[in-house]
Amino acid sequence: MTTHAAQSGNAERPGRAERPGDAEQPGNPERVVFLLAHTGRPAAIRSAELVVQGLLRSGLGVRVLAVEAEDLPLPQSVVTVTDATPAAVDGCELLIVLGGDGTLLRGAEISRASGVPMLGVNLGRVGFLAEAERDDLDKVVDRVVTRAYQVEERMTLDVLVHSNGDVVHSDWALNEAAVQKVSPERMLEVVLEIDGRPVTGFGCDGIVCATPTGSTAYAFSAGGPVVWPEVEALLMVPISAHALFAKPLVTSPDSVLAVEVQPHTPHGVLWCDGRRTVELPAGARVEVRRGAVPVRLARLHQASFTDRLVAKFALPVQGWRGAPH
C-alpha cells in the first residue's frame, strides 16, 4: 500500500456532450469531480443531491453518468457523460462513489483504468472500501474542496486462464479471484500450486485468491485471515474443502498462485470481484499474481485499520484498559 498527497488534475474538458463520454463543463471550472451513485436506493439519491450542491457552491464542477442523472434532481450545470469509460473521468481529480460494496467495486473499475482516485461513501452494510458513512457527507464535501485527503494505492490481482496450453481469458481483481463449482451436487476437484510447485489437491466448493484488501470480503467469509492493508501478501483460501490439510495460505506478494481444475471434474467458473465471470472447462488452469496496476483510494483521515475493523464488525472491546502508562 503506497500513500500519496492529494493532487489536483487539469479539469478542462473540450467539446460538448454530443459524443459518448464527452462533455463540456459550463463555466469551465478549474476542478471537476465525477460522481457515481447507486440510484436504485432513495438514500443514494438524497446523498448525491447533497454532495452535488455542496461541490457546486464551492465552485467545483460535477460530472455524472447520463443514465444516473435521469434519477437524480441535478441542476443544469452538472455535466453528463454517456459511458462509464476511463475517458468519462478525463480531467477529474476525484471519483466520489455513493453506495454499497457493489457500487464501490464498480467505481474501482473506473478508478483503476483511469488512475483517478476513488473516494467511497458507504450506503450499504459493511463497506470496507468506503472512507466515509452517510452521516459524513458534509465532511466529505469539505475535505474534497480543501483537498484535505491522502491517496493510497491498493494492490490488485492479475488473472490468467489457460486451457489446453493457451491463454483463453485475462482479468483483474481488487478483492479476489474465486474459482468455484457450478454443480451444487458435485465438488470441484482441484490441485493448488504456488510458485510452480504443487501444494495439495482436494474436492471443494471453490478457492479464493485474495489481496489484503479482499481479506475482509469473500476470503473472510470462507474462513481466511484478516490481513492489514499495508501488508503486501497474497491469500489462497479454500471453500468447504473435503480434506485434512485445507488451511488458508498467505504467500509473498511476488508469488504466483495457480488453481488447476482436474480433467475428470465438472467444469467450474471464475469470478473476479463478484462482478466479472468466465466459465472454466475441465482441465483449466487459473494463474493469479500481483497486479501491475493498483487502485488508488482517497482517504480522509489516518484512523488505524484496527479501529476500522472494530467499527465495521461491531467487535466487543468493552473492558479494554490500554497499555500501562
Side-chain angles (χ1 to χ4, degrees):
M1 179 188 71
T2 306
T3 303
H4 307 278
Q7 296 180 347
S8 173
N10 178 12
E12 184 176 354
R13 185 175 178 81
R16 294 193 62 82
E18 286 83 2
R19 293 179 295 173
D22 237 355
E24 180 184 20
Q25 175 70 32
N28 191 26
E30 294 183 355
R31 302 174 60 198
V32 180
V33 171
F34 196 100
L35 182 68
L36 187 71
H38 185 339
T39 56
R41 298 182 177 185
I45 294 176
R46 179 56 181 160
S47 297
E49 184 180 13
L50 293 174
V51 170
V52 169
Q53 290 173 350
L55 293 173
L56 293 177
R57 280 197 303 267
S58 299
L60 275 68
V62 179
R63 196 179 302 164
V64 300
L65 290 174
V67 66
E68 294 180 357
E70 296 174 358
D71 299 323
L72 299 173
L74 301 175
Q76 291 296 319
S77 57
V78 173
V79 170
T80 62
V81 294
T82 305
D83 301 316
T85 64
V89 295
D90 279 354
C92 295
E93 68 177 66
L94 200 63
L95 169 64
I96 298 179
V97 181
L98 308 175
D101 289 334
T103 309
L104 292 168
L105 287 170
R106 181 160 62 102
E109 293 176 350
I110 302 174
S111 175
R112 173 183 176 271
S114 65
V116 175
M118 180 181 78
L119 174 59
V121 179
N122 180 40
L123 303 182
R125 290 184 298 174
V126 181
F128 263 99
L129 286 175
E131 179 62 12
E133 301 295 325
R134 184 181 310 162
D135 297 336
D136 299 327
L137 292 177
D138 289 341
K139 179 191 298 183
V140 169
V141 172
D142 180 68
R143 294 293 186 89
V144 171
V145 170
T146 60
R147 292 194 178 98
Y149 59 86
Q150 300 289 319
V151 177
E152 68 180 35
E153 294 182 347
R154 292 292 184 90
M155 67 180 292
T156 59
L157 302 175
D158 283 340
V159 186
L160 293 177
V161 179
H162 299 258
S163 182
N164 296 320
D166 297 323
V167 175
V168 296
H169 181 75
S170 63
D171 216 315
W172 74 280
L174 172 60
N175 278 345
E176 76 279 317
V179 176
Q180 296 178 271
K181 70 177 185 179
V182 175
S183 303
E185 71 278 3
R186 295 189 61 183
M187 291 187 295
L188 191 68
E189 296 287 341
V190 299
V191 174
L192 308 185
E193 173 193 300
I194 296 177
D195 294 331
R197 302 303 302 163
V199 177
T200 186
F202 42 65
C204 60
D205 285 355
I207 301 291
V208 178
C209 298
T211 64
T213 299
S215 71
T216 51
Y218 195 176
F220 176 83
S221 298
V226 174
V227 180
W228 267 234
E230 58 267 26
V231 176
E232 295 192 335
L234 298 177
L235 286 73
M236 182 177 271
V237 183
I239 306 171
S240 301
H242 191 70
L244 291 177
F245 183 83
K247 299 297 183 182
L249 304 176
V250 181
T251 74
S252 160
D254 299 320
S255 290
V256 178
L257 313 183
V259 180
E260 293 187 348
V261 179
Q262 294 293 74
H264 60 271
T265 193
H267 69 278
V269 63
L270 169 69
W271 282 94
C272 290
D273 284 339
R275 290 184 50 79
R276 302 174 302 279
T277 183
V278 63
E279 186 174 307
L280 300 175
R285 173 184 173 88
V286 178
E287 291 183 355
V288 177
R289 51 176 51 82
R290 181 180 189 153
V293 181
V295 169
R296 305 180 72 213
L297 298 181
R299 291 301 187 199
L300 302 182
H301 47 72
Q302 297 300 315
S304 71
F305 180 74
T306 305
D307 292 339
R308 183 184 297 267
L309 189 71
V310 170
K312 293 292 185 181
F313 287 136
L315 300 178
V317 293
Q318 295 82 1
W320 178 74
R321 295 188 298 275
H325 299 288

